[in-house]
């Protein structure tokens, strides 16, 4: 959400999604992606048997129902679905509660409501049918007198929601890696020429517009600027996609992050820091990653 800013990681109080760093840093995997992946594996491992048990009565002759007590099949579904809902689906309930506290219902509210309704109804129906069978109408009973339950719905909804989270977080992680790759294109130091003609290597962060810089063969151009003297060929494919190096002579514009060829030249810095082309590209990609698609906003309105 454009109005939500936090000093550290966490969940957005409006939409429930994980907050994204303004500028991704580091090469470690997203902790939330690793956590959601673990939960998805558990939900799949336990939820698939629940689904198979629930659908087994559709097999010709329903052999499993005749070989095993329907009560045992129902109980097995409940035992397998409970950790899926309680542990694997815990992030959805946490985010749904936050959405209610903040009076901002979203898709996590809907997921938690559906899963909780399916599991709670099934658990209550199973308990009542076992303890007070006279309270359960015949229409709500299946083969062998066991109640109709929806443990498989709770488990499958949880697993599918987790799959969606893993896919989205994986895409965001790849985008973060691309941003980090863009940041790595910018050199960390530049060779600045002082007024007396001496040259020293300085951090790029200390450069200012108007500084004279020497770019040696094979180096990356430190910042945006123009060539003052010298001639070379610069690979600008990272910006333009053009695979053929472009000739640079006095007066030619050069872009920070591009790769100088065999020649050397002296340039004058014009745009430094956040004003460089590379920095603007990184900022646009990061803003796009933090933005929400229109379909997400529609889903939140429908959920509400």
């Amino acid at each position: 959400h454009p109005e939500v800013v936090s000093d550290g990681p966490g969940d957005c109080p409006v939409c429930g999604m994980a907050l994204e760093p303004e500028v991704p840093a580091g090469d470690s995997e997203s902790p939330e992606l690793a956590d959601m992946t673990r939960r998805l594996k558990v939900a799949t491992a336990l939820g698939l048997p629940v689904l198979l048990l629930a659908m087994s009565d559709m097999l010709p002759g329903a052999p499993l129902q005749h070989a095993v007590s329907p009560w045992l099949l129902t109980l097995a579904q409940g035992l397998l679905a409970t950790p899926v809902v309680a542990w694997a689906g815990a992030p959805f309930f946490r985010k749904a509660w936050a959405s209610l506290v903040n009076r901002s219902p979203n898709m996590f509210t809907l997921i938690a409501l559906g899963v909780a309704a399916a599991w709670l109804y099934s658990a209550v129906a199973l308990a009542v049918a076992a303890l007070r069978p006279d309270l359960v109408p015949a229409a709500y009973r299946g083969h062998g007198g066991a109640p109709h339950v929806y443990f498989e719905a709770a488990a499958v909804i949880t697993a599918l929601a987790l799959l969606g989270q893993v896919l989205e977080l994986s895409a965001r992680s790849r985008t973060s890696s691309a941003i980090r790759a863009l940041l790595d294109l910018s050199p960390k130091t530049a060779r600045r020429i002082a007024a007396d003609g001496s040259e020293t290597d300085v951090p790029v962060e200390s450069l200012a517009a108007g500084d004279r810089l020497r770019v040696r063969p094979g180096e990356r151009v430190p910042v945006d600027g123009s060539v003052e003297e010298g001639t070379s060929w610069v690979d600008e494919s990272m910006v333009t996609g053009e695979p053929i190096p472009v000739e640079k002579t006095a007066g030619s514009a050069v872009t920070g992050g591009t790769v100088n060829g065999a020649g050397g030249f002296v340039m004058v810095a014009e745009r430094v820091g956040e004003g460089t082309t590379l920095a603007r590209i990184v900022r646009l990609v990061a803003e796009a990653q933090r933005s929400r698609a229109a379909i997400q906003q529609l889903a939140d309105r429908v959920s509400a």
Side-chain angles (χ1 to χ4, degrees):
H1 193 278
E3 297 179 1
V4 176
V5 180
S6 173
D7 293 334
D11 295 332
C12 173
V14 177
C15 68
M17 298 299 297
L19 295 175
E20 291 291 328
E22 292 186 346
V23 179
D27 298 323
S28 59
E29 185 184 55
S30 165
E32 188 181 27
L33 174 57
D35 178 60
M36 288 293 182
T37 301
R38 284 193 300 270
R39 294 178 188 273
L40 175 60
K41 290 178 180 178
V42 172
T44 303
L46 297 179
L48 188 57
V50 176
L51 179 62
L52 295 177
L53 290 174
M55 300 293 107
S56 62
D57 60 341
M58 296 185 179
L59 295 175
L64 192 58
Q65 275 65 25
H66 294 292
V68 182
S69 167
W71 285 92
L72 183 59
L73 292 178
T74 304
L75 181 61
Q77 293 180 49
L79 293 176
L80 291 171
T82 298
V84 175
V85 173
W87 182 78
F92 301 137
F93 292 103
R94 185 176 63 250
K95 293 179 180 183
W97 176 253
S99 72
L100 295 177
V101 171
N102 292 284
R103 299 180 181 178
S104 178
N106 52 48
M107 66 175 182
F108 294 108
T109 318
L110 194 60
I111 292 171
L113 181 62
V115 171
W119 187 89
L120 285 173
Y121 170 83
S122 302
V124 171
L126 181 58
V128 172
L131 300 176
R132 291 290 304 275
D134 56 300
L135 296 180
V136 181
Y140 289 84
R141 294 174 177 272
H143 178 70
H148 292 299
V149 293
Y150 303 94
F151 287 121
E152 87 286 354
V156 170
I157 290 173
T158 301
L160 291 178
L162 285 169
L163 176 61
Q165 290 295 290
V166 168
L167 292 176
E168 180 167 352
L169 290 169
S170 297
R172 289 176 177 271
S173 179
R174 288 193 297 271
T175 305
S176 297
S177 298
I179 294 176
R180 288 194 294 268
L182 285 173
L183 291 172
D184 290 339
L185 293 177
S186 178
K188 302 298 184 289
T189 61
R191 194 163 186 83
R192 183 165 57 191
I193 304 175
D196 58 3
S198 61
E199 300 180 8
T200 54
D201 290 330
V202 298
V204 172
E205 293 79 10
S206 66
L207 296 178
D211 285 347
R212 299 175 69 243
L213 310 172
R214 182 176 300 280
V215 182
R216 292 166 292 190
E219 291 183 337
R220 288 188 180 274
V221 178
V223 293
D224 295 359
S226 59
V227 177
E228 184 180 67
E229 60 181 66
T231 302
S232 185
W233 294 80
V234 177
D235 180 0
E236 296 184 332
S237 57
M238 59 155 264
V239 176
T240 65
E242 175 58 53
I244 301 175
V246 179
E247 184 180 13
K248 300 295 181 181
T249 58
S252 299
V254 288
T255 305
T258 56
V259 182
N260 184 31
F265 57 87
V266 175
M267 63 171 289
V268 177
E270 295 176 352
R271 292 186 297 274
V272 299
E274 295 298 319
T276 64
T277 300
L278 183 59
R280 292 201 300 271
I281 293 175
V282 170
R283 185 167 61 253
L284 288 173
V285 174
E287 288 175 356
Q289 183 184 22
R290 294 195 303 272
S291 65
R292 303 177 66 223
I295 191 66
Q296 288 179 291
Q297 299 174 5
L298 175 61
D300 286 348
R301 288 198 296 271
V302 171
S303 300

